[in-house]
């Protein structure tokens, strides 16, 4: 919320420091596209900028002065904009502008109260805020109050204290009682050096096993791909990148067999990230493969070679003779 009290400045009532229009504002059917565009332009101005309809109507692609003033009145009636005749505590007065990125009901009500006028009289308070001064001399909210959702509600399980007269009489105490010791939560037993060493060795063994499994899959695929797809001529480090890609998939829970099948499905030496993810989704039956021409129904037997099974039929050309990833256990 803006607290700029400089004479003639713009006071912004916005929830974000960016020109981001809330969906409720963008879809406010009371506003035309012209009015919504004008509101967006006003919200993008700094607080030291002075709003003038003559200035808004100048420049290439701008509306005329009458059209701008009509749009400003519409924004004011809907609670997005208003002029303020500000009286400061030092006795000085100035005309300023208030703009909101969401409709303010108080501004809409004040627009009607002051006879559909753009300018609303406000008076500065000791804390630097402003209050609207009405014709009968009373003061009211200027609509810049903190929204209700900013006030922290009381805890749901918080119970109201009973009234003083409802409090029960305290029991007679002949002697001060000893305070009961507060039970401390038992701290978790510290691991011994031997346990830490064992844990580190187990973790290192798991990492080594995953790295070796990833290297095995990548090596098999690299040899298989060069035989069926040709020599790799892509960026340097392609093999290492494939190995890392497989390593991450293994770490995520995919099996070696699934990684091998996914590489076959991708049919490129080094799949892109999206290709790799889609291929993993297909081989694990999370994604339905695209059908050529939309006519051939999908089935595992006609689409995939069961790796290691020479009796199966594959729709992938040139893979029937040596596509078996024989070093892996079958699912």
């Amino acid at each position: 919320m803006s607290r700029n009290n400089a004479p003639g400045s713009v006071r912004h009532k916005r929830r974000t420091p960016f020109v981001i229009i809330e969906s409720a504002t963008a879809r406010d059917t009371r506003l035309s596209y012209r009015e919504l565009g004008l509101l967006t332009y006003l919200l993008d101005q700094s607080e030291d900028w002075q709003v003038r309809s003559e200035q808004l109507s100048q420049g290439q692609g701008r509306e005329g002065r009458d059209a701008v003033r009509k749009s400003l009145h519409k924004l004011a009636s809907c609670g997005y904009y208003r002029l303020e005749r500000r009286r400061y505590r030092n006795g000085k007065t100035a005309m300023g502008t208030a703009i909101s990125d969401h409709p303010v009901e108080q501004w809409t009500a004040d627009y009607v109260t002051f006879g559909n006028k753009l300018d609303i009289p406000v008076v500065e308070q000791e804390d630097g805020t402003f209050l609207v001064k009405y014709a009968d001399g009373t003061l009211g909210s200027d609509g810049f109050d903190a929204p209700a959702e900013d006030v922290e509600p009381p805890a749901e399980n918080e119970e109201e204290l009973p009234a003083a007269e409802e409090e029960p009489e305290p029991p007679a105490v002949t002697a001060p009682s000893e305070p009961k010791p507060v039970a401390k939560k038992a701290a978790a037993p510290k691991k011994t050096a031997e346990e830490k060493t064992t844990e580190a060795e187990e973790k290192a063994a798991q990492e080594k096993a995953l790295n070796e499994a990833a290297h095995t899959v990548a090596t098999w695929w690299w040899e298989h791909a060069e035989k069926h797809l040709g020599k790799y001529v892509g960026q340097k480090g392609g093999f290492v990148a494939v190995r890392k890609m497989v390593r991450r998939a293994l770490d995520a829970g995919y099996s070696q067999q699934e990684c091998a099948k996914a590489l076959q499905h991708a049919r490129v030496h080094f799949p892109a990230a999206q290709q790799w993810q889609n291929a993993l989704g297909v081989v694990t039956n999370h994604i339905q493969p695209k059908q050529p021409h939309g006519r051939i129904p999908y089935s595992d037997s006609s689409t995939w070679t069961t790796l290691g099974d020479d009796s199966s039929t594959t729709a992938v050309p040139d893979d029937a003779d040596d596509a078996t990833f024989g070093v892996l256990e079958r699912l």
Side-chain angles (χ1 to χ4, degrees):
M1 182 181 72
S2 171
R3 292 296 186 189
N4 189 353
N5 293 344
S9 63
V10 177
R11 292 205 297 158
H12 286 288
K13 181 176 173 60
R14 60 172 61 172
R15 293 174 178 152
T16 65
F18 316 103
V19 187
I20 300 178
I21 301 298
E22 295 183 352
S23 294
T25 298
R27 297 177 182 274
D28 192 340
T29 55
R30 299 174 300 172
L31 303 181
S32 67
Y33 291 143
R34 171 195 293 172
E35 291 149 6
L36 186 59
L38 179 58
L39 174 62
T40 305
Y41 181 79
L42 293 176
L43 289 171
D44 192 41
Q45 305 305 317
S46 61
E47 292 186 342
D48 58 356
W49 191 73
Q50 296 184 355
V51 181
R52 297 288 186 271
S53 57
E54 293 86 356
Q55 183 178 1
L56 292 172
S57 63
Q58 295 175 359
Q60 185 177 1
R62 302 304 184 204
E63 304 285 351
R65 182 176 180 273
D66 291 339
V68 170
R69 288 185 59 84
K70 183 178 179 180
S71 297
L72 291 176
H73 272 276
K74 184 62 177 180
L75 292 175
S77 66
C78 294
Y80 293 97
Y81 165 88
R82 73 180 182 187
L83 291 175
E84 295 178 332
R85 287 186 281 111
R86 302 170 186 164
R87 176 174 292 278
Y88 293 85
R89 286 177 295 162
N90 58 9
K92 295 183 178 180
T93 59
M95 185 70 74
T97 305
I99 306 170
S100 175
D101 62 356
H102 59 281
V104 184
E105 295 181 0
Q106 184 63 48
W107 294 7
T108 301
D110 288 342
Y111 179 80
V112 176
T113 300
F114 289 93
N116 297 342
K117 292 183 178 180
L118 290 179
D119 55 310
I120 305 297
V122 295
V123 181
E124 185 185 25
Q125 304 301 300
E126 291 184 358
D127 60 354
T129 61
F130 290 88
L131 292 178
V132 176
K133 185 176 182 180
Y134 295 99
D136 59 357
T138 60
L139 300 177
S141 170
D142 67 342
F144 275 85
D145 298 325
E149 58 267 24
D150 289 346
V151 180
E152 184 177 356
E156 295 181 358
N157 59 352
E158 185 176 345
E159 299 180 359
E160 294 184 0
L161 295 177
E165 59 272 11
E166 297 178 358
E167 293 182 357
E169 290 292 333
V173 179
T174 57
S177 58
E178 292 292 333
K180 294 182 179 180
V182 179
K184 295 183 178 179
K185 186 177 180 181
K190 295 183 178 180
K191 295 181 180 179
T192 64
E194 184 178 352
E195 289 176 336
K196 292 181 179 180
T197 302
T198 302
E199 187 177 287
E201 290 176 351
E202 292 177 352
K203 184 176 181 181
Q206 292 175 356
E207 291 290 322
K208 182 180 179 181
L210 285 174
N211 289 333
E212 290 178 350
H215 184 78
T216 300
V217 176
T219 301
W220 167 82
W221 169 246
W222 211 251
E223 295 174 354
H224 178 79
E226 288 197 346
K227 182 176 181 180
H228 293 278
L229 303 178
K231 290 289 184 181
Y232 176 71
V233 294
Q235 63 184 25
K236 291 183 179 181
F239 172 80
V240 176
V242 170
R243 186 176 61 192
K244 290 182 178 179
M245 183 179 293
V246 174
R247 172 65 174 79
R248 289 194 295 268
L250 294 174
D251 194 48
Y254 293 94
S255 67
Q256 290 177 275
Q257 192 80 357
E258 289 170 340
C259 291
K261 286 184 177 182
L263 288 168
Q264 279 187 285
H265 176 75
R267 292 195 63 78
V268 290
H269 289 79
F270 175 25
Q274 190 60 52
Q275 288 177 304
W276 177 237
Q277 188 63 58
N278 289 344
L280 288 171
V282 169
V283 301
T284 55
N285 295 323
H286 289 90
I287 299 178
Q288 183 75 14
K290 294 181 179 179
Q291 301 177 9
H293 310 300
R295 300 177 182 177
I296 304 174
Y298 169 74
S299 68
D300 285 336
S301 60
S302 63
T303 305
W304 302 113
T305 299
T306 302
L307 301 184
D309 188 356
D310 294 334
S311 63
S312 60
T313 304
T314 178
V316 182
D318 299 329
D319 283 352
D321 55 344
D322 63 348
T324 302
F325 190 56
V327 298
L328 305 178
E329 295 181 1
R330 298 177 186 174
L331 299 177

